[in-house]
Amino acid sequence: MAGNITFTMVKPEAVANGHTGAILAKIQEAGFRLVALKKMKLSEERAGIFYEVHNERPFYGELTEYMSSGPIVAMVLEKDNAVADFRVLIGATDPSEAAEGTIRKAFAESKAKNAVHGSDSDENAQIEAGFFFSDLERF
Ligand code: UDP
Ligand code: MG
């Protein structure tokens, strides 16, 4: 159901530093069910399309370069109130402002290299999940 999924990526620095398993454990402990998962590397063009809404912002070039710098782990997650609850679990964009116990507090290196993505609305969760996964890959 539309309101019950969110989309996340473990970002390149967190994958490279071996944090994927610990992040997935936190996600599952928080009650999210894994619907889909894959490890892949985005091209800079594909990263640019994913982050198109930010294309006017000063960090856009850096963001697409960073998000295509190494493999990411993409996931679709299911839970009641998935989008909002997942934003609470990951914490603020800037890890220096992220609450204790959040994924970004534990694993983010900086405001740019902040360990994980989280959808910001039910509509974007559907779009982002569809960007990475076909119906045959979602269970
Ligand atoms: N970002 C950045 N500098 C900023 C704001 C954002 O590098 O000043 C990056 C960061 O990786 C962030 C992503 O751009 O996760 C998308 O920004 P958004 O404001 O949507 O933050 P999020 O929804 O990821 O918390
Ligand atoms: Mg966002």
Side-chain angles (χ1 to χ4, degrees):
M1 244 190 296
N4 294 338
I5 68 146
T6 192
F7 171 80
T8 185
M9 277 185 273
V10 183
K11 295 188 178 184
E13 97 283 8
V15 172
N17 292 329
H19 296 314
T20 304
I23 290 171
L24 180 55
K26 271 188 180 287
I27 290 170
Q28 292 190 306
E29 280 158 21
F32 291 86
R33 195 182 72 75
L34 196 53
V35 173
L37 177 146
K38 76 169 93 167
K39 184 177 186 181
M40 62 177 290
K41 191 164 177 292
L42 289 167
S43 64
E44 194 160 356
E45 189 193 356
R46 212 95 178 105
I49 295 167
F50 183 83
Y51 281 111
E52 194 66 48
V53 304
H54 294 310
N55 70 0
E56 305 276 292
R57 295 173 78 178
F59 57 83
Y60 180 69
E62 235 173 277
L63 177 61
T64 58
E65 191 183 329
Y66 157 56
M67 289 302 296
S68 57
S69 66
I72 56 91
V73 174
M75 302 179 217
V76 179
L77 304 171
E78 182 181 56
K79 183 183 184 296
D80 288 346
N81 204 33
V83 167
D85 285 3
F86 193 72
R87 300 290 310 193
V88 172
L89 179 65
I90 67 177
T93 306
D94 185 339
S96 70
E97 293 164 13
E100 237 16 91
T102 61
I103 289 173
R104 282 172 167 167
K105 180 74 177 181
F107 299 112
E109 284 183 6
S110 65
K111 190 172 186 180
K113 298 182 176 181
N114 59 3
V116 283
H117 169 82
S119 304
D120 63 7
S121 67
D122 292 338
E123 189 192 357
N124 283 334
Q126 294 292 341
I127 293 168
E128 292 171 357
F131 186 87
F132 281 88
F133 297 100
S134 75
D135 287 348
L136 296 174
E137 298 171 310
R138 295 164 65 163
F139 302 97

